[in-house]
Amino acid sequence: MKRKLAAGNWKMNGTNARLAEITALATAHPAPGVDILICPPATLVVQAAALTADHAMMIGAQDCHPAPSGAHTGDISAPMLADAGAGAVILGHSERRENHHETNDLISEKARAAHAAGLIAVICLGETLAQREAAQTLDVIASQMHASLPDSASAANTVIAYEPVWAIGTGLTPTSAQIAEVHGLLRSLLAERLGAPEAAALRLLYGGSVKPSNALEIFDIPNVDGALVGGASLKSPDFSPIITALESAS
Ligand code: PGA
């Protein structure tokens, strides 16, 4: 039975003091009915992993380099993240696609590296507002999905997060019908690529302005297996009700 996933992306937020939010979440959800993943900045991965060693919560990172080691000043490799205690890594977030000009090919290489290191790759994709207005959303999603998913992808080692760029950090969310359309497309493209059973088991997250007030409605949408949450994952009183909403939708 597929476990739903509540994933938090802290982005470039959080110093030592914020680790208390992870402890609070673990205390509030001692035996969660869904998987919980928190992706703090890389500087906190070791400590966050130690804090959650006795809890089902998984700690992840927000990026990795495609190579396992080498002369890449400032970068962090997938084996290093695994060694630090990470179990997953977010890849191809739209902020990285934009700020660091990451291409689908690079994201696919990074995902292959994550898989080789035993990490779950949380691969993000989504259309811009201009693309949605030009009715290009489904084409954009299909090409991002095909090009950023490596051949090593399986339901066990990959999660796909649909995050419309215009919904991230803006308070705007697509309609339920719009989310259902994209998630339905992803599920059928995955079935062509991986076969129906594997496609059915692979978790598809929605991300972009998920908050306690809209979580239940979003988790009710067909083919939504959880959420990737930015701003509302930073504080346990905001993230905790989202976890609870997902549990009740499961
Ligand atoms: P948001 O971010 O929840 O703050 O909109 C989501 C994300 O970027 O993953």
Side-chain angles (χ1 to χ4, degrees):
M1 188 42 199
K2 170 165 62 176
R3 295 255 299 176
K4 301 213 168 172
L5 174 63
N9 172 13
W10 283 12
K11 310 191 179 184
M12 198 171 69
N13 298 293
T15 53
N16 268 304
R18 197 169 288 279
L19 290 170
E21 301 296 339
I22 291 180
T23 312
L25 269 185
T27 307
H29 302 274
V34 297
D35 287 347
I36 303 173
L37 168 67
I38 300 288
C39 300
T43 47
L44 296 179
V45 166
V46 168
Q47 292 165 86
L51 276 178
T52 54
D54 295 328
H55 190 277
M57 193 183 308
M58 184 182 275
I59 300 301
Q62 301 170 14
D63 179 46
C64 71
H65 192 278
S69 63
H72 302 287
T73 302
D75 282 312
I76 302 178
S77 75
M80 289 171 178
L81 295 174
D83 182 60
V89 59
I90 298 170
L91 295 172
H93 189 283
S94 66
E95 286 152 15
R96 292 205 62 88
R97 288 178 187 261
E98 184 169 339
N99 299 348
H100 298 273
H101 312 293
E102 291 199 1
T103 61
N104 291 322
D105 284 351
L106 177 63
I107 294 156
S108 171
E109 279 182 55
K110 289 182 175 194
R112 192 176 296 113
H115 294 154
L119 300 175
I120 294 173
V122 181
I123 299 174
C124 304
L125 35 81
E127 82 286 3
T128 62
L129 189 56
Q131 288 166 334
R132 177 157 286 277
E133 287 174 349
Q136 294 166 348
T137 298
L138 299 184
D139 288 342
V140 168
I141 297 298
S143 70
Q144 286 181 339
M145 204 283 277
H146 280 305
S148 21
L149 205 70
D151 290 343
S152 53
S154 70
N157 69 16
T158 303
V159 171
I160 294 179
Y162 168 52
E163 299 203 306
V165 178
W166 51 274
I168 294 175
T170 57
L172 302 172
T173 48
T175 62
S176 294
Q178 287 171 329
I179 297 174
E181 183 181 37
V182 171
H183 279 237
L185 172 73
L186 286 169
R187 191 76 73 200
S188 62
L189 292 174
L190 283 168
E192 286 166 20
R193 182 122 173 215
L194 305 174
E198 200 69 10
L202 193 148
R203 290 173 295 184
L204 297 178
L205 309 185
Y206 168 77
S209 298
V210 176
K211 37 190 190 267
S213 58
N214 62 16
L216 262 182
E217 188 182 338
I218 290 169
F219 296 149
D220 212 31
I221 300 169
N223 290 308
V224 172
D225 304 312
L228 180 56
V229 184
S233 73
L234 288 169
K235 293 194 186 132
S236 57
D238 294 331
F239 199 42
S240 184
I242 293 173
I243 293 169
T244 306
L246 188 59
E247 283 173 329
S248 73
S250 294

